[in-house]
Each structure stands twice: as C-alpha cells, then as structure tokens.
C-alpha cells in the first residue's frame, strides 16, 4: 500500500468528496467501511483506495492498494488507521492483508495476513493508547449480533485467549481449523510452546473436524500423520499409534505403515 501525493497529483478532490459522500452518507457510522475519529476525521474507502477525510469527506490523505479494501478502522485521535484487503490474483503483499498505518508519519507500521477472514469482520476498533486492535467478528450461525472479539497488538500478533474463541465459531471453515492445528503442532515441534498447554486445543479441533462432512479425508489424514510424528518425538508411543491408525482409516495410502508396525512391536 502506498500513499498518493494529493498536492502534486492530478486529483479532482471536489469530485472525490462528492463520490465519497454519496457512497457513505447513508451508512451506519460503526460499519467497517467508514469510521469516525473523535478529532473530526473520517476513514473510508472506495475500491482499492483508502481515504482519510474531514467531516465533509474532503480527502486529506489517500492510500492506494493493489487489492480491494474490505474494511477499515481509525483510532480516537486519527493517529492510526487499520484496514483489511481482499485477496488478489497476484498474491502480493497487499493480498488478504491487515495493514496498520501511522497517519502522522505517513508510513506503514505493520502489514501481514492474520487469521481473521476479511469477510467476517464487522468492526475494527483501534486503541492507540494500549496499541491494541480489536476485530469484531460475526458468526453466521449464532447470528450477526453475536460478535466475537479477537485482539491483536500493533505487530499483528494475536492475543491467544481471544483467538481460541475465534476457532470455536460454529460457522468457521474446517480448513481454517485444520490450518490452526498444523500451526499449533509446528510451534511445539520447534519448541516454541509447551506441548501439554496446547494438546487440549488440538484435541478439541480434531473432534470438530472428524464430524465435518466438508473436510477432505486426505488433508485430515495428513494432519493425523503430523500429530503422530509429534507424539513419537515425545516418546508417547500409544498416542502416536492412535494418530497413525486414525490417519490410515481416513486414507489407506497414508505413508505411516512402517512406523506403525515398529511402534506396535515396542508395546
């Protein structure tokens, strides 16, 4: 995402102001497609352009992305803007990204893909004092009024307790649950986390996946293989065997038979 030079660029600011006013004047102020700051700033977007405007929608700053903007939020004083973008075909750095912008310094504070799907975000709240971003996420089964709040710091690292609640959403994609399991296993495998602390979450997520008809048996079998490998690393042979056997029941061609036979002989 890059900042556009309003002063030297060939922009019709009056026309842009009219366009934004027409697009946003009937929208609710707490929607994530345009947000008020307490200091008479408005953050809004149209297409691939993000705008910081005055209360008459006259542009003060303009940011251009290679992806369509999907949501935005602004801090109380207007110092920080956070936006989310849709995925694009180029799969570049703007694709499916969450971006934190420092308005005063005219620079990107942080930009990366986070776990929260842009299509689920209803409100982006930016706390510039605590440097926390809270994403209010709707649930298609529980109802749009049952928002789940997931918090991130300004380096876009998630608060793990709130992130766990996100993965309990009834309508979340099974492939996102599967990706979460792989990420948790990877953390333990790299000795970034204590295994016992997250085994319970992995068990919970696997129970959900086993009962989801939309989940690929092949991909789920690979998850059980990875889990079995982790159990074997920690010499938990019985759980490794159970993981490999579950994987084989989903995919008879899963490459674990040799290990499975070796472990069964050890019992």
């Amino acid at each position: 995402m890059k900042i556009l030079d309003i002063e030297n660029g060939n922009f019709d600011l009056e026309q842009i102001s009219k366009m934004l006013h027409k697009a946003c004047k009937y929208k609710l102020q707490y929607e994530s497609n345009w947000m008020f700051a307490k200091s008479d700033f408005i953050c809004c977007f149209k297409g691939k352009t993000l705008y910081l405007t005055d209360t008459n929608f006259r542009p003060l700053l303009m940011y251009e992305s290679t992806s369509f903007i999907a949501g935005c939020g602004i801090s109380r004083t207007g110092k920080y803007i956070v936006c989310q973008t849709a995925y694009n075909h180029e799969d570049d750095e703007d694709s499916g990204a969450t971006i934190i912008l420092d308005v005063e310094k005219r620079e990107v504070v942080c930009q990366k893909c986070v776990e929260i799907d842009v299509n689920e975000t209803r409100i982006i709240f930016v706390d510039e004092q605590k440097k926390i971003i809270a994403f209010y996420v709707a649930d298609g089964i529980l109802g749009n009024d049952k928002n789940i709040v997931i918090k991130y710091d300004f380096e876009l690292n998630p608060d793990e307790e709130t992130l766990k609640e996100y993965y309990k959403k009834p309508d979340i994609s099974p492939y996102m649950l599967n990706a979460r399991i792989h990420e948790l296993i990877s953390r333990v495998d790299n000795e970034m986390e204590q295994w016992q602390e997250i085994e319970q979450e992995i068990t919970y997520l696997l129970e959900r996946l086993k009962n989801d008809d939309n989940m690929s048996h092949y991909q789920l079998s690979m998850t059980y293989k990875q889990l079995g490998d982790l159990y074997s690393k920690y010499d938990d042979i019985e759980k490794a065997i159970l993981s490999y056997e579950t994987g084989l029941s989903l995919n008879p061609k899963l490459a674990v038979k040799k290990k499975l036979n070796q472990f069964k002989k050890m019992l």
Side-chain angles (χ1 to χ4, degrees):
M1 178 168 280
K2 65 179 181 179
I3 190 168
L4 299 176
D5 189 343
I6 292 180
E7 294 182 0
N8 298 318
N10 186 24
F11 299 105
D12 187 335
L13 299 184
E14 290 298 327
Q15 189 63 33
I16 293 173
S17 177
K18 290 178 182 179
M19 178 269 293
L20 292 175
H21 188 270
K22 182 179 180 180
C24 299
K25 65 179 179 178
Y26 295 118
K27 299 290 186 180
L28 298 175
Q29 292 183 18
Y30 55 79
E31 290 185 10
S32 65
N33 56 352
W34 73 290
M35 296 286 288
F36 264 119
K38 297 297 183 183
S39 302
D40 295 331
F41 293 121
I42 295 174
C43 175
C44 56
F45 61 89
K46 185 73 174 178
K48 297 180 180 181
T49 307
L50 179 71
Y51 301 90
L52 178 71
T53 77
D54 62 19
T55 54
N56 293 315
F57 290 99
R58 183 172 180 83
L60 304 173
L61 288 175
M62 293 165 52
Y63 297 89
E64 186 178 57
S65 171
T66 58
S67 294
F68 286 98
I69 313 294
C72 65
I74 188 169
S75 65
R76 183 180 179 86
T77 67
K79 178 176 172 57
Y80 296 103
I81 294 173
V82 175
C83 73
Q84 288 183 295
T85 64
Y87 291 95
N88 62 40
H89 293 299
E90 289 74 27
D91 196 27
D92 58 19
E93 64 176 2
D94 278 2
S95 180
T98 296
I99 305 165
I100 305 173
L101 300 163
D102 186 318
V103 173
E104 293 178 358
K105 294 181 178 179
R106 307 289 199 268
E107 66 182 21
V108 174
V109 175
C110 189
Q111 175 171 345
K112 61 175 153 179
C113 294
V114 300
E115 292 83 354
I116 309 306
D117 191 317
V118 297
N119 296 316
E120 298 175 314
T121 303
R122 295 296 176 267
I123 304 171
I124 302 173
F125 177 76
V126 186
D127 187 331
E128 65 181 63
Q129 300 272 325
K130 297 180 180 178
K131 293 200 170 179
I132 294 293
I133 305 158
F135 293 91
Y136 288 72
V137 175
D139 188 282
I141 294 176
L142 297 177
N144 287 336
D145 60 331
K146 305 294 184 182
N147 285 322
I148 298 169
V149 182
I150 306 94
K151 298 178 181 179
Y152 285 78
D153 62 22
F154 267 35
E155 294 181 351
L156 293 175
N157 298 312
D159 171 75
E160 283 296 325
E161 290 305 312
T162 59
L163 191 60
K164 284 181 184 178
E165 294 303 310
Y166 173 69
Y167 285 106
K168 292 179 182 178
K169 273 166 41 74
D171 70 341
I172 196 167
S173 161
Y175 294 97
M176 290 191 70
L177 297 181
N178 197 45
R180 170 69 171 174
I181 295 170
H182 280 270
E183 193 240 335
L184 290 172
I185 292 174
S186 178
R187 285 191 204 172
V188 179
D189 205 23
N190 293 318
E191 298 181 350
M192 294 172 62
E193 299 276 353
Q194 291 293 324
W195 170 231
Q196 293 177 346
E197 293 179 7
I198 58 176
E199 183 181 16
Q200 186 176 0
E201 184 181 356
I202 291 175
T203 302
Y204 161 76
L205 295 173
L206 283 172
E207 284 299 317
R208 287 187 61 179
L209 286 179
K210 283 196 300 185
N211 298 317
D212 196 321
D213 294 335
N214 295 316
M215 184 63 200
S216 159
H217 282 193
Y218 173 79
Q219 290 197 28
L220 189 54
S221 74
M222 297 302 294
T223 301
Y224 275 105
K225 179 183 182 300
Q226 187 181 12
L227 183 58
D229 291 344
L230 186 62
Y231 277 127
S232 66
K233 177 179 178 179
Y234 285 90
D235 295 323
D236 196 334
I237 303 304
E238 290 186 359
K239 288 184 179 179
I241 289 173
L242 180 59
S243 296
Y244 289 145
E245 287 181 336
T246 306
L248 276 173
S249 70
L250 294 164
N251 173 20
K253 295 183 179 180
L254 189 66
V256 296
K257 293 178 181 177
K258 183 176 180 179
K259 280 186 179 180
L260 186 56
N261 291 331
Q262 289 175 344
F263 287 158
K264 283 183 175 180
K265 290 178 182 178
M266 294 170 62
L267 294 179

